[in-house]
Amino acid sequence: HVPAGRARTCAAALPLLLAALIAFGRVYLGVHYLSDVCVGALLGIVFGIFGVWVWGMLEARTTQQMR
């Protein structure tokens, strides 16, 4: 559980900042093309949204079974 307010904002922003810095570093060092990094980020976003959706479905099912 993450508290509301500034701590929650930091908890969400820090991993995103880290991912952006790593992505920039990969392109800057010539390890990956920009398109590789963009597609990887897009896939990460899609799988993240899917994971949140599945988590919500499982939580709703668990809550419903407890009633």
Side-chain angles (χ1 to χ4, degrees), residues 1 6 8-10 14-15 22-25 27 29 31 35 38 41-42 44-46 48-49 51 54 64 66-67:
H1 174 61
R6 183 174 288 177
R8 186 176 188 152
T9 302
C10 287
L14 285 177
I22 291 170
F24 174 76
V27 174
L29 293 174
V31 179
S35 60
C38 290
L42 183 62
I45 290 168
V46 168
I49 290 169
V54 168
Q64 191 177 41
M66 295 178 89
R67 289 182 184 176

Side-chain angles (χ1 to χ4, degrees), residues 29-58:
L29 293 174
V31 179
H32 291 289
Y33 291 113
L34 180 60
S35 60
D36 295 342
V37 172
C38 290
V39 169
L42 183 62
L43 284 173
I45 290 168
V46 168
F47 279 107
I49 290 169
F50 179 72
V52 169
W53 178 76
V54 168
W55 184 272
M57 296 294 287
L58 291 174

